[in-house]
Amino acid sequence: MVQQELHPSDEGREGYGDTSEPGADQAPQGLSEALIEPAPVFEPAPVFEPVSDPPPGEIHLEVEEKPSVVMMQRLNVWKDELVAWFKTLFSAAVYATLIVTFGFQVARVEGQSMAPTLADQDRLIVNKFAYRLGVPRRGDIVMLYYPLNPDKSFVKRVIAEEGDEVRIVDGRVYVNDVPMVDDFVPPEYRSHDDFGPTRIQEGYYFVMGDHRNNSSDSRHWGMVPKKYIIGRVQVRWWPIPHARVF
């Protein structure tokens, strides 16, 4: 194979190209150099690298609260809770005191002097507010201080009010010469004693137990001053099967 040698005059051309064509660094004939624009340069998009944990050996500091600060915060929370509980208990105690003093009182029957209406160990609710607005009436079951020893309290029934005249003949009670309606006293609970007649002083009341032949009452220790009457027996709440309102 014989390769043709290039004539020195052909060194400016490549292959079969026309020597009249412009070189790569020359503008084409007839075109202004102002129309030649450089090719656009595209910059690569920024690459965001994920934040990784510091390599081993580097120191990573975290701010932690001191144990004493944490303890103080807990103590403050506990203190606030204790104060809230104390306020609640104090308020409950005040309300209970007001209710017991001026409103209602829970009492327990001891003995059989009010049988069969009330039995031993019955639990009662006594309305102490009733006689702050009104006065005891005949037939009311009341809680009172024992006139001979005010440290004790009794439960009795009001038989006569101030100004009334009371007498008892063979156990039958008369108030102002009218026989008292006492159907709540069974025959076996009636007495056969005599009493009076006597007139009730102003500000006093005559009381008796429903168990007429087994009751210590005004027949034995006299009248009861109004200031000794604590309140009206309103409810028997125990035992529950025998609960009732009076």
Side-chain angles (χ1 to χ4, degrees), residues 157-178:
R157 187 185 295 271
V158 175
I159 301 299
E161 308 172 26
E162 57 185 6
D164 290 339
E165 183 181 82
V166 178
R167 64 186 176 95
I168 302 174
V169 179
D170 192 26
R172 185 67 174 175
V173 179
Y174 295 83
V175 179
N176 300 325
D177 291 328
V178 178

Side-chain angles (χ1 to χ4, degrees), residues 64-73:
E64 296 183 356
E65 295 183 353
K66 295 181 179 180
S68 59
V69 176
V70 175
M71 182 58 69
M72 288 300 297
Q73 293 176 347

